[in-house]
Amino acid sequence: MLGKTVVAISSTVMRGAVGLRPITFALERRGLTVWPVPTVMLPWHPGIGPSTKTPNPDLPGHLADLGTRANEIDAILTGYYALPEHVEATAAFIDTVRRTRPGIPVLIDPVTGDEAGRYVPDAVATAVREELVPRADIITPNVNELVDLGGSPDLVKAAEALGARQVIVTSAVQEDGQIGTLLLENGNATLVMHDEMDPCPKGTGDLFSAVYLASSMENAPADAVRDAAAATFAAVRASTNDLLAYAAVVDDIANPDRSSVTVKAAADTALRRAG
């Protein structure tokens, strides 16, 4: 993995282990070079409550500049956006890079909401759905984002509506004190379970996406989802408050313990959400 470069586009957050902080940390611990591009500066995760937001005024220019180095880019990962025009600039950047590197993986983490609903403006969620989702090889929504963007409480139908080669749904299944991540790929479903931790700190989706992307660049999707779930579970288990303790589990990020998670049959009844 040495020598591979990922452009990571997401938020910079002061208090909290979310956005570019865990993304960059995890990708670098997996041996990748990271070009972090901040979309916005925030004091904390937007799901916690209102705060001052300072969008990056030069993001379109930054991406245009990086696009001139497209031949050096091996993957793109996107996360949180505060402005729809930043989403549009990212879509143009992806197109620019793919003209030079058509086979690179693009992972879209559609960070738009949680169990309480959307925490981004509707215009941002619409831009993510219309501009980024169609350009994704891999999409990593939580279950609420999938239902919102895919337009169906049936997780399989919602995932199919997104159209990506791989859709990985975090927090897709909760049963018997466990929580499951669902990988949907080419009509096949893989469900990876581990013990549920409550309360769960913010930032798990960012860490999961980064580890999944890194692992998927050298492993099969089913193994990559086990790696991402195991690394994220280790970080949650190490957390003692609402801050994700990713820095405490460096070894688990670099070399996840796949035995800490369980692969189960994804029964049809497990892939639907009430509502």
Side-chain angles (χ1 to χ4, degrees):
M1 293 289 284
L2 293 177
K4 299 285 188 180
T5 297
V6 178
V7 176
I9 309 167
S10 193
S11 59
T12 297
V13 177
M14 301 168 196
R15 180 197 180 276
V18 301
L20 285 174
R21 291 176 62 186
I23 289 171
T24 302
F25 185 92
L27 290 173
E28 290 180 340
R29 296 316 177 274
R30 299 283 303 194
L32 293 157
T33 297
V34 185
W35 296 354
V37 182
T39 58
V40 61
M41 184 174 289
L42 298 160
W44 50 68
H45 187 285
I48 293 176
S51 69
T52 302
K53 296 181 178 69
T54 307
N56 178 358
D58 296 319
L59 181 136
H62 292 157
L63 292 179
D65 289 345
L66 293 180
T68 66
R69 300 279 185 166
N71 62 306
E72 301 175 31
I73 298 170
D74 299 290
I76 298 170
L77 182 156
T78 76
Y80 179 83
Y81 291 87
L83 298 175
E85 51 265 40
H86 285 179
V87 178
E88 294 162 3
T90 300
F93 171 71
I94 292 170
D95 292 345
T96 295
V97 174
R98 278 185 163 157
R99 281 194 286 271
T100 300
R101 302 294 309 278
I104 68 163
V106 173
L107 185 152
I108 304 297
D109 182 8
V111 184
T112 56
D114 55 21
E115 63 278 358
R118 286 183 180 176
Y119 49 61
V120 299
D122 290 344
V124 170
T126 298
V128 168
R129 183 178 66 244
E130 295 181 354
E131 300 291 340
L132 295 186
V133 167
R135 289 171 168 82
D137 298 296
I138 306 164
I139 304 178
T140 58
N142 62 41
V143 67
N144 305 285
E145 292 161 342
L146 176 65
V147 171
D148 182 23
L149 297 175
S152 173
D154 183 305
L155 302 191
V156 174
K157 289 182 179 179
E160 290 174 347
L162 299 185
R165 178 165 50 88
Q166 298 167 33
V167 179
I168 302 97
V169 190
T170 57
S171 306
V173 176
Q174 293 175 286
E175 59 182 25
D176 300 326
Q178 292 200 315
I179 192 163
T181 297
L182 178 67
L183 165 65
L184 296 164
E185 181 201 20
N186 298 324
N188 299 313
T190 302
L191 187 62
V192 177
M193 305 289 293
H194 58 73
D195 291 341
E196 184 175 11
M197 307 293 287
D198 188 31
C200 182
K202 302 292 187 183
T204 54
D206 299 309
L207 178 61
F208 180 96
S209 295
V211 176
Y212 183 86
L213 177 62
S215 181
S216 70
M217 293 173 73
E218 55 185 359
N219 295 300
D223 289 331
V225 75
R226 291 174 67 193
D227 284 345
T232 304
F233 178 48
V236 172
R237 194 169 46 195
S239 303
T240 58
N241 53 31
D242 64 335
L243 305 181
L244 185 66
Y246 60 84
V249 292
V250 176
D251 291 342
D252 294 281
I253 290 172
N255 296 288
D257 178 11
R258 294 179 185 172
S259 68
S260 67
V261 299
T262 304
V263 179
K264 294 183 63 176
D268 287 346
T269 54
L271 305 184
R272 287 167 172 76
R273 179 183 175 207

